């Protein structure tokens, strides 16, 4: 699906805006983390002839995460860093509770390419920030995990206070991750970035900053 050009600018009104995944327990006292944890991927890609549906991310999260009808490394690795253990050591109920306790969104909530490893354009990223800001202020997470360096870079450029480090370096295993303050005009949350859960990703390494983020937030140091 290609973007239409209007007066040499991208017309995003023609794009299907992909809705975020919000688990049934995200805002519930039965949430397994006791807080609202949101994961933020970069964008979507779609190689089929048919047009992508707004429910694309929701349906994929049900298929690859909640029900695990098929295996997909992206969802498997998010679960492993979120729960801190391999999927093989996780029972069905625990897996379902995890996915229903979190939110998963795309920073750029649309298809930007027909294959993986193609970054959004600068115009798409600017539009993505506006979309992310709306989602962030609607879901009002307590803590946020950015998946990949580009999401991290966008937050550094656009968040009001993201350059303020809330903690020192999270150990050598955290690969330089810091807990930071992610804020917009209407909401603030604790945030950390990790490597994108694709090739070369180590769940054992990147579960450490995610766990530190949860503990730091749950300890009452909310913003």
């Amino acid at each position: 699906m290609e973007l239409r050009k209007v007066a040499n600018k991208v017309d995003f009104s023609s794009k299907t805006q992909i809705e975020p995944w919000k688990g049934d327990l995200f805002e519930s006292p039965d949430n397994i983390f006791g807080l609202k944890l949101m994961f933020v991927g970069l964008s979507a890609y779609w190689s089929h002839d048919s047009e992508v549906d707004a429910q694309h991310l929701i349906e994929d999260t049900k298929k690859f995460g909640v029900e695990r009808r098929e295996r997909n490394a992206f969802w498997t690795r998010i679960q492993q860093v979120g729960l801190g253990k391999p999927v093989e050591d996780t029972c069905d109920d625990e897996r379902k509770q995890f996915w229903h306790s979190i939110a998963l969104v795309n920073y750029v909530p649309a298809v930007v390419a027909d294959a993986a490893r193609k970054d959004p354009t600068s115009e798409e990223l600017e539009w993505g920030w506006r979309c992310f800001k709306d989602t962030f202020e609607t879901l009002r997470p307590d803590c946020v995990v950015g998946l990949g360096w580009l999401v991290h870079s966008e937050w550094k450029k656009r968040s009001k206070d993201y350059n303020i480090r809330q903690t020192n370096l999270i150990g050598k295993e955290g690969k330089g991750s810091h807990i930071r303050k992610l804020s917009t005009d209407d909401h603030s949350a604790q945030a950390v970035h990790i490597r994108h859960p694709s090739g070369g990703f180590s769940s054992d390494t990147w579960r450490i900053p995610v766990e530190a983020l949860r503990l730091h937030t749950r300890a009452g140091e909310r913003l």
Side-chain angles (χ1 to χ4, degrees):
M1 179 172 57
E2 294 186 358
L3 294 172
R4 290 190 290 126
K5 296 283 185 176
V6 177
N8 297 320
K9 292 185 179 181
V10 177
D11 174 22
F12 290 98
S13 65
S14 66
K15 284 194 78 68
T16 299
Q17 189 163 331
I18 298 172
E19 297 178 8
W21 163 264
K22 185 180 80 167
D24 293 341
L25 302 175
F26 183 68
E27 298 174 322
S28 168
D30 296 326
N31 182 309
I32 61 172
F33 299 119
L35 49 78
K36 293 187 289 185
L37 172 63
M38 184 167 78
F39 289 84
V40 182
L42 180 59
S43 59
Y45 66 92
W46 186 251
S47 59
H48 305 289
D49 292 333
S50 59
E51 189 168 308
V52 72
D53 187 86
Q55 300 285 305
H56 177 60
L57 182 60
I58 294 172
E59 293 303 320
D60 275 359
T61 302
K62 289 178 181 177
K63 178 169 66 176
F64 300 126
V66 179
E67 300 167 4
R68 208 163 187 246
R69 283 178 273 134
E70 297 179 29
R71 296 190 178 189
N72 183 290
F74 179 79
W75 277 264
T76 295
R77 289 163 178 164
I78 289 175
Q79 180 181 314
Q80 289 182 154
V81 298
L83 287 176
K85 60 182 178 180
V87 291
E88 293 79 10
D89 297 339
T90 306
C91 67
D92 288 347
D93 285 346
E94 190 175 18
R95 182 189 71 245
K96 292 175 181 177
Q97 274 196 318
F98 167 77
W99 286 105
H100 280 299
S101 293
I102 71 163
L104 174 62
V105 311
N106 282 324
Y107 183 80
V108 179
V111 171
V112 301
D114 59 4
R117 302 182 186 281
K118 292 184 179 179
D119 291 339
T121 65
S122 58
E123 287 179 307
E124 288 168 337
L125 289 169
E126 184 177 351
W127 176 75
W129 169 251
R130 297 196 297 270
C131 297
F132 172 76
K133 182 175 179 289
D134 288 343
T135 300
F136 180 71
E137 293 177 350
T138 298
L139 296 183
R140 307 186 78 81
D142 299 310
C143 50
V144 184
V145 179
L147 304 175
W149 309 122
L150 189 49
V151 171
H152 167 64
S153 175
E154 281 292 296
W155 287 348
K156 286 189 72 174
K157 286 192 298 184
R158 304 180 191 276
S159 168
K160 292 169 59 181
D161 302 299
Y162 190 69
N163 290 321
I164 301 173
R165 297 176 178 178
Q166 297 294 299
T167 67
N168 293 324
L169 187 69
I170 307 172
K172 62 181 181 180
E173 298 89 347
K175 301 288 186 182
S177 292
H178 294 79
I179 295 174
R180 298 172 182 265
K181 181 180 179 181
L182 176 62
S183 61
T184 61
D185 294 334
D186 193 48
H187 184 60
S188 294
Q190 309 278 11
V192 73
H193 78 278
I194 64 174
R195 181 170 179 166
H196 189 276
S198 51
F201 183 89
S202 167
S203 296
D204 284 341
T205 294
W206 293 107
R207 67 176 175 78
I208 295 170
V210 175
E211 182 180 13
L213 174 69
R214 292 202 322 266
L215 294 175
H216 184 74
T217 306
R218 196 163 51 204
E221 300 177 33
R222 302 190 184 188
L223 304 171

mmCIF file of all heavy atoms in Angstrom, residues 17 20 38 105-107 109 126-141 184-187:
data_model
loop_
_atom_site.group_PDB
_atom_site.id
_atom_site.type_symbol
_atom_site.label_atom_id
_atom_site.label_comp_id
_atom_site.label_asym_id
_atom_site.label_seq_id
_atom_site.Cartn_x
_atom_site.Cartn_y
_atom_site.Cartn_z
ATOM 1 N N GLN A 17 -4.841 3.272 9.932
ATOM 2 C CA GLN A 17 -4.149 3.420 11.212
ATOM 3 C C GLN A 17 -4.387 2.177 12.048
ATOM 4 O O GLN A 17 -5.524 1.833 12.376
ATOM 5 C CB GLN A 17 -4.630 4.669 11.950
ATOM 6 C CG GLN A 17 -3.789 4.977 13.183
ATOM 7 C CD GLN A 17 -3.995 6.402 13.671
ATOM 8 O OE1 GLN A 17 -4.289 7.296 12.884
ATOM 9 N NE2 GLN A 17 -3.834 6.611 14.962
ATOM 10 N N PRO A 20 -3.831 -0.163 18.641
ATOM 11 C CA PRO A 20 -2.939 -0.820 19.609
ATOM 12 C C PRO A 20 -3.603 -2.030 20.249
ATOM 13 O O PRO A 20 -4.836 -2.136 20.300
ATOM 14 C CB PRO A 20 -2.704 0.273 20.653
ATOM 15 C CG PRO A 20 -3.921 1.134 20.583
ATOM 16 C CD PRO A 20 -4.342 1.132 19.142
ATOM 17 N N MET A 38 3.631 -0.969 28.916
ATOM 18 C CA MET A 38 3.392 -0.870 27.479
ATOM 19 C C MET A 38 4.681 -1.083 26.700
ATOM 20 O O MET A 38 5.715 -0.502 27.032
ATOM 21 C CB MET A 38 2.806 0.500 27.140
ATOM 22 C CG MET A 38 2.423 0.669 25.676
ATOM 23 S SD MET A 38 1.398 2.150 25.375
ATOM 24 C CE MET A 38 2.629 3.439 25.399
ATOM 25 N N VAL A 105 1.973 -1.416 21.125
ATOM 26 C CA VAL A 105 1.603 -0.435 20.102
ATOM 27 C C VAL A 105 2.752 -0.268 19.119
ATOM 28 O O VAL A 105 3.897 -0.623 19.405
ATOM 29 C CB VAL A 105 1.259 0.934 20.734
ATOM 30 C CG1 VAL A 105 0.280 0.772 21.884
ATOM 31 C CG2 VAL A 105 2.502 1.663 21.224
ATOM 32 N N ASN A 106 2.443 0.290 17.964
ATOM 33 C CA ASN A 106 3.456 0.700 17.007
ATOM 34 C C ASN A 106 3.657 2.202 17.100
ATOM 35 O O ASN A 106 2.677 2.961 17.142
ATOM 36 C CB ASN A 106 3.048 0.342 15.574
ATOM 37 C CG ASN A 106 3.267 -1.117 15.261
ATOM 38 O OD1 ASN A 106 4.230 -1.721 15.734
ATOM 39 N ND2 ASN A 106 2.383 -1.687 14.457
ATOM 40 N N TYR A 107 4.895 2.638 17.141
ATOM 41 C CA TYR A 107 5.192 4.075 17.148
ATOM 42 C C TYR A 107 4.608 4.733 15.903
ATOM 43 O O TYR A 107 3.938 5.771 15.984
ATOM 44 C CB TYR A 107 6.702 4.285 17.223
ATOM 45 C CG TYR A 107 7.115 5.733 17.297
ATOM 46 C CD1 TYR A 107 7.061 6.417 18.504
ATOM 47 C CD2 TYR A 107 7.549 6.422 16.169
ATOM 48 C CE1 TYR A 107 7.435 7.759 18.582
ATOM 49 C CE2 TYR A 107 7.916 7.748 16.229
ATOM 50 C CZ TYR A 107 7.851 8.417 17.448
ATOM 51 O OH TYR A 107 8.204 9.736 17.520
ATOM 52 N N PRO A 109 1.867 3.815 13.543
ATOM 53 C CA PRO A 109 0.822 2.785 13.540
ATOM 54 C C PRO A 109 0.259 2.510 12.148
ATOM 55 O O PRO A 109 -0.939 2.627 11.890
ATOM 56 C CB PRO A 109 -0.232 3.394 14.464
ATOM 57 C CG PRO A 109 -0.122 4.855 14.220
ATOM 58 C CD PRO A 109 1.346 5.121 13.983
ATOM 59 N N GLU A 126 7.452 11.629 11.987
ATOM 60 C CA GLU A 126 6.806 12.812 12.560
ATOM 61 C C GLU A 126 5.322 12.559 12.797
ATOM 62 O O GLU A 126 4.774 12.904 13.851
ATOM 63 C CB GLU A 126 7.002 14.010 11.638
ATOM 64 C CG GLU A 126 6.447 15.307 12.209
ATOM 65 C CD GLU A 126 6.718 16.499 11.318
ATOM 66 O OE1 GLU A 126 7.483 16.365 10.335
ATOM 67 O OE2 GLU A 126 6.159 17.571 11.610
ATOM 68 N N TRP A 127 4.674 11.941 11.819
ATOM 69 C CA TRP A 127 3.270 11.556 11.983
ATOM 70 C C TRP A 127 3.128 10.523 13.103
ATOM 71 O O TRP A 127 2.202 10.579 13.912
ATOM 72 C CB TRP A 127 2.750 10.992 10.663
ATOM 73 C CG TRP A 127 1.347 10.462 10.705
ATOM 74 C CD1 TRP A 127 0.186 11.192 10.745
ATOM 75 C CD2 TRP A 127 0.952 9.079 10.686
ATOM 76 N NE1 TRP A 127 -0.906 10.353 10.754
ATOM 77 C CE2 TRP A 127 -0.460 9.055 10.715
ATOM 78 C CE3 TRP A 127 1.642 7.875 10.636
ATOM 79 C CZ2 TRP A 127 -1.195 7.861 10.704
ATOM 80 C CZ3 TRP A 127 0.928 6.689 10.624
ATOM 81 C CH2 TRP A 127 -0.464 6.683 10.661
ATOM 82 N N GLY A 128 4.079 9.585 13.174
ATOM 83 C CA GLY A 128 4.053 8.560 14.213
ATOM 84 C C GLY A 128 4.101 9.145 15.609
ATOM 85 O O GLY A 128 3.423 8.672 16.521
ATOM 86 N N TRP A 129 4.914 10.195 15.804
ATOM 87 C CA TRP A 129 4.975 10.830 17.127
ATOM 88 C C TRP A 129 3.611 11.371 17.539
ATOM 89 O O TRP A 129 3.192 11.222 18.679
ATOM 90 C CB TRP A 129 6.016 11.932 17.155
ATOM 91 C CG TRP A 129 5.920 12.778 18.394
ATOM 92 C CD1 TRP A 129 5.475 14.072 18.467
ATOM 93 C CD2 TRP A 129 6.235 12.392 19.735
ATOM 94 N NE1 TRP A 129 5.504 14.514 19.763
ATOM 95 C CE2 TRP A 129 5.960 13.500 20.571
ATOM 96 C CE3 TRP A 129 6.716 11.214 20.306
ATOM 97 C CZ2 TRP A 129 6.149 13.466 21.951
ATOM 98 C CZ3 TRP A 129 6.911 11.180 21.682
ATOM 99 C CH2 TRP A 129 6.634 12.286 22.497
ATOM 100 N N ARG A 130 2.914 12.000 16.602
ATOM 101 C CA ARG A 130 1.591 12.537 16.936
ATOM 102 C C ARG A 130 0.626 11.414 17.302
ATOM 103 O O ARG A 130 -0.156 11.546 18.249
ATOM 104 C CB ARG A 130 1.049 13.354 15.759
ATOM 105 C CG ARG A 130 1.887 14.578 15.421
ATOM 106 C CD ARG A 130 1.135 15.553 14.543
ATOM 107 N NE ARG A 130 0.789 14.997 13.248
ATOM 108 C CZ ARG A 130 1.561 15.073 12.168
ATOM 109 N NH1 ARG A 130 2.744 15.675 12.259
ATOM 110 N NH2 ARG A 130 1.174 14.575 11.027
ATOM 111 N N CYS A 131 0.695 10.308 16.567
ATOM 112 C CA CYS A 131 -0.167 9.156 16.872
ATOM 113 C C CYS A 131 0.216 8.530 18.205
ATOM 114 O O CYS A 131 -0.642 8.197 19.028
ATOM 115 C CB CYS A 131 -0.069 8.117 15.769
ATOM 116 S SG CYS A 131 -0.652 8.675 14.155
ATOM 117 N N PHE A 132 1.524 8.362 18.423
ATOM 118 C CA PHE A 132 1.990 7.772 19.673
ATOM 119 C C PHE A 132 1.592 8.637 20.859
ATOM 120 O O PHE A 132 1.166 8.122 21.904
ATOM 121 C CB PHE A 132 3.504 7.584 19.644
ATOM 122 C CG PHE A 132 4.063 7.157 20.974
ATOM 123 C CD1 PHE A 132 3.910 5.854 21.420
ATOM 124 C CD2 PHE A 132 4.715 8.075 21.801
ATOM 125 C CE1 PHE A 132 4.394 5.471 22.663
ATOM 126 C CE2 PHE A 132 5.198 7.692 23.033
ATOM 127 C CZ PHE A 132 5.041 6.382 23.464
ATOM 128 N N LYS A 133 1.730 9.937 20.721
ATOM 129 C CA LYS A 133 1.367 10.852 21.799
ATOM 130 C C LYS A 133 -0.104 10.671 22.183
ATOM 131 O O LYS A 133 -0.443 10.616 23.377
ATOM 132 C CB LYS A 133 1.635 12.296 21.355
ATOM 133 C CG LYS A 133 1.347 13.366 22.385
ATOM 134 C CD LYS A 133 1.776 14.724 21.833
ATOM 135 C CE LYS A 133 1.480 15.848 22.820
ATOM 136 N NZ LYS A 133 0.023 16.110 22.932
ATOM 137 N N ASP A 134 -0.978 10.545 21.200
ATOM 138 C CA ASP A 134 -2.401 10.333 21.482
ATOM 139 C C ASP A 134 -2.626 9.009 22.212
ATOM 140 O O ASP A 134 -3.387 8.947 23.184
ATOM 141 C CB ASP A 134 -3.210 10.343 20.182
ATOM 142 C CG ASP A 134 -3.327 11.735 19.571
ATOM 143 O OD1 ASP A 134 -3.066 12.711 20.293
ATOM 144 O OD2 ASP A 134 -3.672 11.832 18.378
ATOM 145 N N THR A 135 -1.958 7.949 21.747
ATOM 146 C CA THR A 135 -2.107 6.636 22.374
ATOM 147 C C THR A 135 -1.553 6.642 23.788
ATOM 148 O O THR A 135 -2.159 6.106 24.726
ATOM 149 C CB THR A 135 -1.386 5.560 21.533
ATOM 150 O OG1 THR A 135 -1.955 5.526 20.224
ATOM 151 C CG2 THR A 135 -1.514 4.185 22.169
ATOM 152 N N PHE A 136 -0.390 7.249 23.963
ATOM 153 C CA PHE A 136 0.269 7.346 25.263
ATOM 154 C C PHE A 136 -0.623 8.075 26.270
ATOM 155 O O PHE A 136 -0.770 7.650 27.424
ATOM 156 C CB PHE A 136 1.594 8.084 25.066
ATOM 157 C CG PHE A 136 2.430 8.278 26.295
ATOM 158 C CD1 PHE A 136 3.075 7.213 26.896
ATOM 159 C CD2 PHE A 136 2.606 9.552 26.822
ATOM 160 C CE1 PHE A 136 3.881 7.400 28.008
ATOM 161 C CE2 PHE A 136 3.407 9.753 27.938
ATOM 162 C CZ PHE A 136 4.042 8.675 28.535
ATOM 163 N N GLU A 137 -1.234 9.152 25.838
ATOM 164 C CA GLU A 137 -2.078 9.933 26.742
ATOM 165 C C GLU A 137 -3.434 9.279 26.974
ATOM 166 O O GLU A 137 -4.085 9.532 27.991
ATOM 167 C CB GLU A 137 -2.241 11.351 26.182
ATOM 168 C CG GLU A 137 -0.934 12.133 26.204
ATOM 169 C CD GLU A 137 -1.046 13.523 25.590
ATOM 170 O OE1 GLU A 137 -2.095 13.807 24.965
ATOM 171 O OE2 GLU A 137 -0.084 14.308 25.735
ATOM 172 N N THR A 138 -3.865 8.406 26.064
ATOM 173 C CA THR A 138 -5.124 7.680 26.243
ATOM 174 C C THR A 138 -4.941 6.475 27.162
ATOM 175 O O THR A 138 -5.716 6.269 28.104
ATOM 176 C CB THR A 138 -5.671 7.214 24.877
ATOM 177 O OG1 THR A 138 -5.934 8.354 24.060
ATOM 178 C CG2 THR A 138 -6.961 6.405 25.059
ATOM 179 N N LEU A 139 -3.904 5.671 26.909
ATOM 180 C CA LEU A 139 -3.675 4.465 27.707
ATOM 181 C C LEU A 139 -3.026 4.782 29.055
ATOM 182 O O LEU A 139 -3.158 4.014 30.003
ATOM 183 C CB LEU A 139 -2.799 3.476 26.932
ATOM 184 C CG LEU A 139 -3.395 2.904 25.638
ATOM 185 C CD1 LEU A 139 -2.449 1.884 25.031
ATOM 186 C CD2 LEU A 139 -4.751 2.276 25.887
ATOM 187 N N ARG A 140 -2.286 5.861 29.132
ATOM 188 C CA ARG A 140 -1.650 6.327 30.364
ATOM 189 C C ARG A 140 -0.880 5.197 31.089
ATOM 190 O O ARG A 140 -1.146 4.868 32.242
ATOM 191 C CB ARG A 140 -2.690 6.948 31.307
ATOM 192 C CG ARG A 140 -3.510 8.026 30.639
ATOM 193 C CD ARG A 140 -4.436 8.764 31.573
ATOM 194 N NE ARG A 140 -3.697 9.753 32.361
ATOM 195 C CZ ARG A 140 -3.355 10.955 31.906
ATOM 196 N NH1 ARG A 140 -3.654 11.318 30.665
ATOM 197 N NH2 ARG A 140 -2.703 11.795 32.671
ATOM 198 N N PRO A 141 0.107 4.612 30.414
ATOM 199 C CA PRO A 141 0.895 3.549 31.047
ATOM 200 C C PRO A 141 1.733 4.093 32.196
ATOM 201 O O PRO A 141 2.077 5.279 32.235
ATOM 202 C CB PRO A 141 1.791 3.056 29.906
ATOM 203 C CG PRO A 141 1.952 4.254 29.027
ATOM 204 C CD PRO A 141 0.626 4.958 29.074
ATOM 205 N N THR A 184 4.724 13.783 27.781
ATOM 206 C CA THR A 184 4.072 14.657 26.818
ATOM 207 C C THR A 184 3.382 15.756 27.632
ATOM 208 O O THR A 184 3.576 15.857 28.837
ATOM 209 C CB THR A 184 3.055 13.878 25.974
ATOM 210 O OG1 THR A 184 2.047 13.344 26.835
ATOM 211 C CG2 THR A 184 3.730 12.737 25.221
ATOM 212 N N ASP A 185 2.554 16.528 26.980
ATOM 213 C CA ASP A 185 1.869 17.605 27.689
ATOM 214 C C ASP A 185 0.929 17.083 28.776
ATOM 215 O O ASP A 185 0.687 17.760 29.771
ATOM 216 C CB ASP A 185 1.057 18.460 26.707
ATOM 217 C CG ASP A 185 1.948 19.207 25.730
ATOM 218 O OD1 ASP A 185 3.109 19.477 26.088
ATOM 219 O OD2 ASP A 185 1.484 19.503 24.617
ATOM 220 N N ASP A 186 0.418 15.850 28.578
ATOM 221 C CA ASP A 186 -0.666 15.379 29.434
ATOM 222 C C ASP A 186 -0.337 14.126 30.252
ATOM 223 O O ASP A 186 -1.150 13.684 31.056
ATOM 224 C CB ASP A 186 -1.906 15.105 28.570
ATOM 225 C CG ASP A 186 -3.162 14.907 29.384
ATOM 226 O OD1 ASP A 186 -3.426 15.730 30.286
ATOM 227 O OD2 ASP A 186 -3.877 13.911 29.138
ATOM 228 N N HIS A 187 0.841 13.520 30.062
ATOM 229 C CA HIS A 187 1.140 12.293 30.804
ATOM 230 C C HIS A 187 2.646 12.057 30.866
ATOM 231 O O HIS A 187 3.387 12.463 29.962
ATOM 232 C CB HIS A 187 0.457 11.084 30.152
ATOM 233 C CG HIS A 187 0.633 9.803 30.919
ATOM 234 N ND1 HIS A 187 0.189 9.653 32.217
ATOM 235 C CD2 HIS A 187 1.217 8.619 30.590
ATOM 236 C CE1 HIS A 187 0.475 8.437 32.649
ATOM 237 N NE2 HIS A 187 1.108 7.805 31.687
#
